[in-house]
Every structure is written in C-alpha cells, then in structure tokens.
Amino acid sequence: MTPALTALLCLGLSLGPRTRMQAGPFPKPTLWAEPGSVISWGSPVTIWCQGSLEAQEYQLDKEGSPEPWDRNNPLEPKNKARFSIPSMTQHHAGRYRCHYYSSAGWSEPSDPLELVMTGFYNKPTLSALPSPVVASGGNMTLRCGSQKGYHHFVLMKEGEHQLPRTLDSQQLHSGGFQALFPVGPVTPSHRWRFTCYYYYTNTPWVWSHPSDPLEILPSGVSRKPSLLTLQGPVLAPGQSLTLQCGSDVGYDRFVLYKEGERDFLQRPGQQPQAGLSQANFTLGPVSRSYGGQYRCYGAHNLSSEWSAPSDPLDILITGQIYDTVSLSAQPGPTVASGENMTLLCQSRGYFDTFLLTKEGAAHPPLRLRSMYGAHKYQAEFPMSPVTSAHAGTYRCYGSRSSNPHLLSFPSEPLELMVSGHSGGSSLPPTGPPSTPGLGRYLEVLIGVSVAFVLLLFLLLFLLLLRQRHSKHRTSDQRKTDFQRPAGAAETEPKDRGLLRRSSPAADVQEENLSDAAVKDTQSEDRVELDSQSPHDEDPQAVTYAPVKHSSPRREMASPPSSLSGEFLDTKDRQVEEDRQMDTEAAASEASQDVTYAQLHSLTLRRKATEPPPSQEGEPPAEPSIYATLAIH
C-alpha cells in the first residue's frame, strides 16, 4: 500500500465519527435542571438530558473543561439520562451542554444550561419605591442594593421560568451600590414576589445569598380597614405589642406592613360578630427594630386585590436615647377650669422633637419642634382653655430626626389637676392671654359681689317681713278699740293713741278741757267713732287732735275717704279757723305746750244740733266739731 493511500485511509477513519455527529439525522437533545438552575450552596441538583429512543449513551459537557463532565447510559425507555450533583459547590457552577450517541453517530449538542450556585456572598437588600403597595395596573420600581462594590445585580420573579433580569450596579454618593428595576403594570391576576442577587464579572455563575423576598400588593379602591394598638403607641423594650386590623366590610384575610420592610405579615380574618372581621398581629417582646410606621390591608379569598391601606400607625420605642428630659407646668399643676396653662418639656441634651403623652389616652402623642434657649432645648405645649378632660398624668420624651420612632427615657410623671369653673366663659379666649394671678383676682371679686347681693336681698326680706308684722298688729289693735260697746269706759291707750305731754301743768289743763268738752254736749257737734259702719272703714286714715291750753283743735293727717261732702266743707272752714287760732295763740302764748292725741278711727260722724240762737247784736255762733278725749 502506497503512503498516499495509507494517509487517506487514516484521515477517513479520524473524520468519520465527527462527520456523522454533525450531520446525523437525530434532533438535538433538551437539557434542564431540577429543582432549578439556581441552586444554593450545598443543595443537591439533578441535570436531565433528553434525546432519542435510539440513544445508546448520553454525555454531559461543561464549558471550559477539556474532558467530558460525565457520561451515563439512558434510562428506560432510553430517551433520557440523569446526571446528579449531590452537593452544589462553586466548582459545579457554570454552563453545560449535552448530546447523545446512537448507531448513526453523535447528535447535535443541546442548548446551554447555566447552573448557578448562590450563597457565596452576603445578601443584598430589596425594596419597593415608593412602597410595595401599588394600585392595580400601576407601575413601580424595585431597588436592589449593597454596601460592597459588586459588578452586577440580578432580579428574579418567583414562579416564572423566565431568564433573570440583570443590571449593572451604580455607585451612590453614600458609598453604596444599587440597581433599579422597573416593574409593571402590576395586576392582581397572579402573584408578584421577587428576590435579588449580585455577582462579580469574572464569576458570573457564583452569586450572593438571595435578598429577603419582596411581595407586591396590587391594591384596589375597596374600603380601608382600621389599625390600632391595644397597648398604646409608646412602648418600652421588652413589652408585648398587639396590633389589631379590622373592618366592617367582612374581609377574609389581612396583612400588616411596616414601612421600609420587605415583607408582610398575613393573618386570616376572624368575625367576632356578623358583618365585622378583624385580625390580631402579636409582636414582641419589642426592641428598637419594632419602632416605625405600620399599615394594614384587607382582602377577600376569591380576589387577589387588596383593599386601600389603613391610616398609618406610629409605634414608638422608649429608652433608646440616654439624655434626660423634664416636664413642668406653668403656672402650676393645679388649675381652674377655663384658665390657661402651659406644659414645658426641656432637656440639656440635643433633641429635634419633643413628644407629650397622656396616660390612658387613645390619641397619638403631641409633637413639637424643639427650640434652643438658655442653654436648653425645650418645647411649650399650650392648653387653653383648660377643661376637665385635661386632667390626668403626663410624660414627655425627646426624639431625633435620624430615627424619629426611637425616644428617650420618659420624664418624671406630672399629674395635672383641674378644679371647678372659675366663673368665666368656657369658650376659648379671643384676646391676649391673661396673667396667672388675674383669674384668682376675678374669682375673689365675683365671690364678694355674689355675697353682697345675697346679703342685700336678705335685709330687704327682713324689712318687708317686719312691715307686714307691724300692719297685722295695727289692724288687730284697731279692731279691739272700735268693737267696744257704746258708753263703755275708755281704757288707757298703750301702743297706739299714746298721749305726749310736755309738763305736769299741761296735764291739769288737759283734764279741765276734757271735762268741759264732755259736759257741753248740747251746744256743739260731737264726732264719735262709729264701729258699726264697715262699709265706711278706711284703716289707712289716722286722725290727730291737737289740744292746746287756750283752744283745743283737731288735725287730720289723712282725711277719711268715706266723709261726705258736707263734712269736707266743714273741715275746710275748721282748718282755716284753726290756722287763725294758731296764729293768735303763738302771739300770746309763745311758751304754751301742745298735746297731740292719735285717734284710731274708721269713720268720723257728726252728731250735733244747731247752736242756740244768739242774742241780738252778737254774731251767730258757728258749729264746732270736737273729738272726745279721755286723758289720764
């Protein structure tokens, strides 16, 4: 055999098998991994290569390896082979292909399989911007970040066999690295749950630990639930915390979300009564990591859409800042209802904000920005006007803007006591605030005024009562005096009708005048007390009879209303005569005493005859009216 023929024969034997593998009639096999192509460090993985029923042998190749990675005989029914990796390491990570051999030669290689090992580096962080809750149909951004300068970030969606999304990292001004992945539109038709990783360029199949999973909640417009805490929003480390999410819509399940977290807490709904549903989320014992802002959502079992979020609830953890704070009341812890007062919270340490809490109150703490002055940080909480609802025990805390949900230790408790109304209006003051002492002054002034008015009314009542009692006594005495039988002897007057005498000589003259008036009953008119005419009674009339030593006369302080016209004419003439007689008497007897007698009378009646005829040459005598007096 010639050398040329020998060379051609050797060339044909060496090219024959490779030419049959490239041009063989069998399709290329399929390659996949179970449970997946991304395997955590140390976990088992199985690689499957599926070809033809006529395959006699399967071969697995790894990119970069000069020798076949593994060879296996097919399993019944001979259309596939299994390659097992009991414990995944970084040496197993890489790109794989497989092909099979039959009587016709070698098949085409499969499509590459990239087998990734995770858990070689620390995990990154994954968060949603602005929050993991998005309206149905909306878009959002997922942020994957790390403090180390890894080259690439990978975002994976759970439950899908799509290829991971990879982005180059971007360095932040703070020194960290991140990648932003746009996501959307988000619909409630399926679950949106993500994780992210990072790796270096020179080892693209060796990844970090996965981030904590982040689930996106597509929310709707159904009514928002309510979120409250059973222990209050301010807690000390070690206390238990229970958050209650409830609604009257009747949701079947609830989730609790803390702002900045990557996951939710989900609880089934319970129905304490018809139409109401709620879920309790028990957290604790609490630590500083529990401080933050919480929201909750509700959903029905037959829907993937969540409700609108509840109103935010801030949970505050005390004892995280060691600078002390103090609380005081101005003007003092005891104040009258309706007055003004201020609670002052202050500290020598730096605080951005001061918070004021009331023991047992359901409302959140009051917050005020601190002001620096007199080498202290302080905040003034005005309470104007004070009502009974302000009474209670107060404490104050300080916080800083770097983490507003972490507070200082509490101040010493301050008990505020509210007394009764100060007499002022309960409406808020519209003018400038009054000084602390003005309220006390007004209270004393109003009390004195009220006491004076009451005393005045009491004196007036006693005066009226005395006058009424005097009138009753006067009326009784009148009835006693004027109900005597006719001709009865006159008794000595006591309280009423008392005679005022000026001297003993006057007493003698009065007796003589009285006797003369009694004897001379035929030549004068007599005025008697008529107690038998009740229709003529005028108890308000008082008759005075002046008796002088020279000429007795009678005065009426108030004429009886029942006198006849004739008697009134007679009275007028008598008044004129009395005036003349008084003038003459005053001229002749300047030192003469006059005695007045007060008469209690109901009716004065004239019982007199005409005077006797006068002698010739003398003026006719005029009738005179006298009152019969009994003088003792």
Side-chain angles (χ1 to χ4, degrees):
M1 184 178 294
T2 63
L5 182 59
T6 302
L8 290 174
L9 179 60
C10 293
L11 182 61
L13 291 174
S14 63
L15 293 177
R18 186 170 298 180
T19 303
R20 286 194 303 268
M21 186 173 57
Q22 292 177 356
F26 304 106
K28 65 181 180 181
T30 303
L31 186 64
W32 75 93
E34 289 181 355
S37 61
V38 179
I39 306 300
S40 61
W41 189 10
S43 299
V45 62
T46 300
I47 299 176
W48 292 92
C49 184
Q50 183 175 1
S52 172
L53 293 175
E54 298 180 2
Q56 299 175 5
E57 184 182 15
Y58 286 88
Q59 179 177 307
L60 182 65
D61 296 324
K62 180 184 177 185
E63 188 177 286
S65 177
E67 298 293 332
W69 184 261
D70 197 2
R71 286 184 180 183
N72 273 334
N73 295 325
L75 300 176
E76 295 295 337
K78 296 185 178 182
N79 65 338
K80 62 181 178 181
R82 179 177 61 190
F83 302 91
S84 298
I85 301 176
S87 180
M88 186 71 178
T89 66
Q90 66 268 29
H91 301 292
H92 296 100
R95 182 176 291 167
Y96 291 84
R97 284 185 173 90
C98 78
H99 52 271
Y100 59 92
Y101 177 77
S102 68
S103 58
W106 290 97
S107 69
E108 299 182 44
S110 66
D111 291 331
L113 170 67
E114 294 184 350
L115 189 62
V116 175
M117 187 206 73
T118 66
F120 198 77
Y121 311 111
N122 293 331
K123 66 181 180 181
T125 59
L126 181 62
S127 58
L129 302 177
S131 78
V133 180
V134 61
S136 180
N139 299 318
M140 64 185 315
T141 300
L142 300 184
R143 175 188 175 274
C144 189
S146 174
Q147 292 299 318
K148 294 185 178 180
Y150 300 105
H151 299 157
H152 307 280
F153 288 96
V154 180
L155 181 67
M156 296 186 65
K157 184 179 180 183
E158 188 177 298
E160 292 188 359
H161 298 288
Q162 298 178 355
L163 293 177
R165 298 172 56 185
T166 303
L167 286 177
D168 295 338
S169 66
Q170 298 175 352
Q171 188 172 6
L172 302 175
H173 295 290
S174 61
F177 295 83
Q178 70 174 15
L180 302 178
F181 297 89
V183 176
V186 178
T187 61
S189 58
H190 56 276
R191 192 174 188 183
W192 297 75
R193 188 178 178 90
F194 297 88
T195 54
C196 80
Y197 306 81
Y198 56 83
Y199 64 89
Y200 289 105
T201 302
N202 57 346
T203 55
W205 299 292
V206 179
W207 294 357
S208 67
H209 282 280
S211 68
D212 292 332
L214 174 64
E215 185 172 1
I216 304 302
L217 292 183
S219 66
V221 294
S222 57
R223 190 183 311 171
K224 65 181 179 182
S226 61
L227 181 62
L228 55 90
T229 171
L230 303 182
Q231 290 81 18
V234 180
L235 299 119
Q239 285 187 268
S240 179
L241 172 63
T242 299
L243 301 182
Q244 186 177 87
C245 187
S247 174
D248 57 358
V249 177
Y251 292 123
D252 300 310
R253 51 200 173 106
F254 294 91
V255 294
L256 179 68
Y257 168 68
K258 180 188 174 186
E259 185 176 355
E261 294 290 331
R262 303 168 186 86
D263 203 357
F264 300 87
L265 292 177
Q266 188 168 169
R267 297 287 186 273
Q270 299 177 350
Q271 292 188 351
Q273 61 186 34
L276 298 178
S277 61
Q278 66 182 33
N280 291 335
F281 297 87
T282 302
L283 310 175
V286 300
S287 62
R288 62 183 293 125
S289 62
Y290 285 78
Q293 191 172 85
Y294 292 80
R295 287 183 175 88
C296 75
Y297 303 81
H300 297 284
N301 285 333
L302 301 179
S303 174
S304 299
E305 187 175 39
W306 292 88
S307 69
S310 67
D311 293 331
L313 174 64
D314 291 318
I315 298 300
L316 309 173
I317 309 300
T318 67
Q320 305 305 307
I321 305 175
Y322 291 96
D323 290 326
T324 59
V325 295
S326 63
L327 180 63
S328 60
Q330 297 177 348
T334 302
V335 62
S337 179
E339 291 189 355
N340 301 326
M341 73 165 303
T342 300
L343 295 183
L344 177 63
C345 190
Q346 56 185 356
S347 173
R348 293 188 179 276
Y350 166 72
F351 289 105
D352 294 301
T353 305
F354 286 102
L355 297 89
L356 181 68
T357 64
K358 181 183 178 184
E359 192 173 291
H363 57 77
L366 299 177
R367 295 174 178 262
L368 279 180
R369 297 287 297 177
S370 67
M371 303 293 292
Y372 184 74
H375 305 289
K376 290 184 179 181
Y377 292 89
Q378 63 182 13
E380 296 182 354
F381 295 87
M383 295 186 177
S384 304
V386 174
T387 65
S388 59
H390 289 97
T393 303
Y394 291 83
R395 292 176 175 86
C396 85
Y397 305 82
S399 69
R400 295 170 181 165
S401 58
S402 56
N403 198 333
H405 296 96
L406 301 182
L407 308 181
S408 67
F409 285 95
S411 67
E412 292 296 328
L414 173 67
E415 185 174 1
L416 178 62
M417 293 178 290
V418 180
S419 61
H421 292 282
S422 63
S425 173
S426 61
L427 296 176
T430 56
S434 59
T435 58
L438 183 58
R440 303 287 184 182
Y441 173 76
L442 291 176
E443 184 177 358
V444 173
L445 181 61
I446 292 175
V448 171
S449 301
V450 172
F452 177 76
V453 172
L454 292 177
L455 182 61
L456 183 61
F457 275 111
L458 180 61
L459 293 177
L460 181 61
F461 173 75
L462 293 176
L463 181 61
L464 293 175
L465 186 63
R466 181 176 180 85
Q467 290 182 354
R468 182 178 180 86
H469 184 64
S470 299
K471 289 180 181 180
H472 281 295
R473 293 180 58 184
T474 303
S475 177
D476 294 340
Q477 185 65 32
R478 288 173 180 173
K479 291 180 180 180
T480 302
D481 294 342
F482 293 104
Q483 286 180 358
R484 297 189 188 93
E490 294 290 338
T491 61
E492 182 180 358
K494 297 179 181 179
D495 295 335
R496 307 186 188 278
L498 294 177
L499 300 179
R500 292 178 293 179
R501 303 180 177 90
S502 59
S503 65
D507 293 341
V508 176
Q509 293 179 5
E510 287 172 5
E511 289 180 1
N512 295 332
L513 290 175
S514 176
D515 293 337
V518 170
K519 293 177 180 180
D520 192 7
T521 60
Q522 301 299 325
S523 61
E524 66 183 31
D525 294 332
R526 294 184 59 187
V527 179
E528 294 181 355
L529 305 175
D530 191 355
S531 62
Q532 307 300 324
S533 302
H535 62 276
D536 292 335
E537 291 179 359
D538 189 358
Q540 301 301 325
V542 179
T543 304
Y544 290 88
V547 179
K548 296 186 179 181
H549 298 287
S550 58
S551 58
R553 62 185 179 88
R554 179 177 61 90
E555 286 184 359
M556 299 287 293
S558 155
S561 60
S562 61
L563 294 177
S564 63
E566 181 182 356
F567 178 75
L568 293 176
D569 295 338
T570 305
K571 174 186 175 299
D572 292 338
R573 290 191 303 270
Q574 183 65 36
V575 169
E576 182 65 24
E577 293 175 1
D578 290 343
R579 186 179 295 112
Q580 295 176 0
M581 294 173 64
D582 289 341
T583 302
E584 296 174 358
S588 61
E589 300 176 8
S591 62
Q592 187 69 32
D593 293 329
V594 179
T595 301
Y596 285 85
Q598 181 180 0
L599 303 180
H600 296 276
S601 63
L602 300 178
T603 303
L604 295 178
R605 187 178 59 185
R606 186 182 62 178
K607 290 182 179 181
T609 58
E610 294 295 330
S614 59
Q615 299 180 1
E616 294 182 359
E618 295 180 359
E622 294 181 358
S624 301
I625 299 175
Y626 292 90
T628 303
L629 302 178
I631 302 175
H632 300 280

